[in-house]
Amino acid sequence: MGSVVLRLGRSSSYRLMSAIILIPALLMLSAATRPSGELLFFRATEDSDQYAKDPQRYDKISLAPPEAMSILYVERQPTLRIPLSAVRSVVLEREKVYTNLEEAILEGLRLKDKSTNEAGARYYYMAAFALRPNAGRQVTTLSQRYPGEVFDLRLGSQRLSIGSFTPPRPGAGNTFNPFRVPLMENDRQRIQDILSPLKDRIT
């Protein structure tokens, strides 16, 4: 079974390897209510000329540095809707931001020990969404229909990630399930709040 990654902007391409840390606090949350809402995929573009042709079609948003895409035009209507009932599970991973390619390679080859709490290091979170088969096929179709295009992924009204699909690894097949996204939010409590509709399915 393959996977798809919704990759952040070009400035984040150096994030090569992951340091996985479970978030115990999320496991403590109980499933008090039935999750509601949807995962929404909105097409987006950096092309100001495309925006100028039909400005009513888009919302203009500004992204904080260090993202390469500082200004983005996001379509107001989602291209794909995935009901939360189609999400089987979510796995959160805490990953290190590598600013040194040599360090990333050494740790990836296990020639250097990984440190999950290195002084001065920066981290971000990845979320892997395991979907029911039909929903997984819909994400596959979307990624094939718009290869390399930028998407704004939201859970209801909350923005999760902005980036483009990357192709699966060779031999992984063409079923993009689960799909992994780097979260824009890196505060643990805030992530808990955003993902609270799925709190009973988070590891």
Side-chain angles (χ1 to χ4, degrees):
M1 187 175 292
S3 66
V4 65
V5 175
L6 191 62
R7 183 183 57 208
L8 282 182
R10 294 180 294 273
S11 65
S12 301
S13 61
Y14 53 79
R15 298 170 177 173
L16 300 178
M17 301 298 170
S18 66
I20 300 176
I21 292 183
L22 298 181
I23 303 178
L26 289 175
L27 298 176
M28 302 291 291
L29 297 174
S30 61
T33 58
R34 180 180 177 83
S36 61
E38 299 172 300
L39 285 177
L40 303 172
F41 294 76
F42 295 83
R43 292 178 66 192
T45 181
E46 299 176 79
D47 190 343
S48 58
D49 291 336
Q50 183 174 332
Y51 166 76
K53 292 177 182 178
D54 189 5
Q56 299 302 316
R57 182 180 176 181
Y58 301 92
D59 287 320
K60 181 179 178 180
I61 66 172
S62 298
L63 301 179
E67 299 307 326
M69 300 176 291
S70 57
I71 301 295
L72 203 62
Y73 307 100
V74 181
E75 291 187 355
R76 292 178 174 173
Q77 296 299 319
T79 303
L80 176 63
R81 298 174 179 266
I82 299 292
L84 295 193
S85 59
V87 179
R88 286 178 166 172
S89 64
V90 184
V91 175
L92 292 175
E93 302 172 352
R94 186 171 180 246
E95 303 194 359
K96 183 178 179 181
V97 176
Y98 288 97
T99 57
N100 184 307
L101 181 59
E102 180 181 357
E103 179 185 16
I105 293 174
L106 289 175
E107 290 189 6
L109 295 175
R110 298 183 179 178
L111 299 177
K112 178 182 177 182
D113 291 337
K114 287 185 178 182
S115 173
T116 56
N117 289 290
E118 182 180 331
R122 294 190 298 122
Y123 298 90
Y124 68 105
Y125 288 92
M126 293 286 295
F129 292 85
L131 305 175
R132 298 190 183 281
N134 184 58
R137 285 190 290 269
Q138 288 180 290
V139 174
T140 298
T141 300
L142 183 72
S143 65
Q144 293 172 339
R145 184 179 179 185
Y146 303 106
E149 290 199 25
V150 177
F151 281 87
D152 178 348
L153 176 66
R154 304 176 199 173
L155 195 166
S157 62
Q158 301 293 323
R159 179 170 286 120
L160 296 177
S161 184
I162 291 179
S164 57
F165 287 107
T166 58
R169 299 182 305 277
N174 59 1
T175 301
F176 297 152
N177 189 14
F179 75 97
R180 301 173 72 241
V181 298
L183 300 180
M184 299 184 70
E185 181 60 62
N186 59 14
D187 178 80
R188 183 178 299 185
Q189 183 59 55
R190 178 64 179 146
I191 291 172
Q192 290 182 29
D193 294 341
I194 292 174
L195 295 179
S196 60
L198 294 168
K199 59 188 178 183
D200 59 318
R201 285 167 270 179
I202 295 176
T203 301

